[in-house]
Amino acid sequence: MNIDFLKRLGFFLVGLSIGIVFLTFFMKKKSQETGVYFCYLPDCRTLKDIRSKSMYYSDEAKQKLQEFELDSIGIRYILTEGDVDFSKSDTKSVPCRTYVVESEYKERDYRFTVKNCREKSSIEKVELQ
């Protein structure tokens, strides 16, 4: 009986693995077609919230963006694919939370400091790492 159970468990795990791979493949394809992304992790949810609001730039950030030749496509990429460093972020501040977003874009490592308020988001600082 013990061997039968292990055999059934093995078949179950193989089937489950194949099912998860197919589900992931189809969900990813569907989300790309419709433009809908499923955000469950804190990084993804935070970046989605930042992108959903009107974006503003501090004078310092505007200057650095021009200096580093970052355009709106690069900024969008960083705010979509970046990683939020919660240990360096101030998530408890009121009324606006401050997040540090780090990402690689065109073989350069960038760090954005973003203020996320209720109605708008603002890039306060842009740095190369």
Side-chain angles (χ1 to χ4, degrees), residues 48-59:
K48 185 176 180 180
D49 185 48
I50 290 170
R51 289 191 315 270
S52 70
K53 300 172 185 169
S54 299
M55 184 63 67
Y56 296 91
Y57 306 93
S58 70
D59 292 335

Side-chain angles (χ1 to χ4, degrees), residues 31-78:
S31 70
Q32 289 173 348
E33 290 173 357
T34 60
V36 175
Y37 293 98
F38 300 100
C39 289
Y40 297 109
L41 299 175
D43 273 3
C44 184
R45 289 177 28 199
T46 301
L47 292 173
K48 185 176 180 180
D49 185 48
I50 290 170
R51 289 191 315 270
S52 70
K53 300 172 185 169
S54 299
M55 184 63 67
Y56 296 91
Y57 306 93
S58 70
D59 292 335
E60 177 187 348
K62 286 180 190 176
Q63 179 185 358
K64 290 292 187 178
L65 290 171
Q66 286 179 344
E67 182 182 321
F68 299 146
E69 299 176 358
L70 266 175
D71 57 2
S72 61
I73 295 170
I75 295 167
R76 185 82 175 168
Y77 177 85
I78 291 168

Side-chain angles (χ1 to χ4, degrees), residues 98-123:
T98 304
Y99 295 100
V100 175
V101 180
E102 298 174 343
S103 180
E104 181 182 339
Y105 180 70
K106 291 189 177 178
E107 299 179 10
R108 297 170 104 181
D109 292 327
Y110 292 98
R111 178 183 294 148
F112 285 7
T113 303
V114 181
K115 236 180 205 184
N116 189 17
C117 302
R118 181 172 278 194
E119 302 293 324
K120 66 178 185 171
S121 296
S122 172
I123 296 178

Side-chain angles (χ1 to χ4, degrees), residues 74-92:
I75 295 167
R76 185 82 175 168
Y77 177 85
I78 291 168
L79 292 178
T80 303
E81 301 296 326
D83 295 317
V84 179
D85 188 343
F86 288 101
S87 65
K88 295 178 184 171
S89 300
D90 183 9
T91 60
K92 305 282 189 218

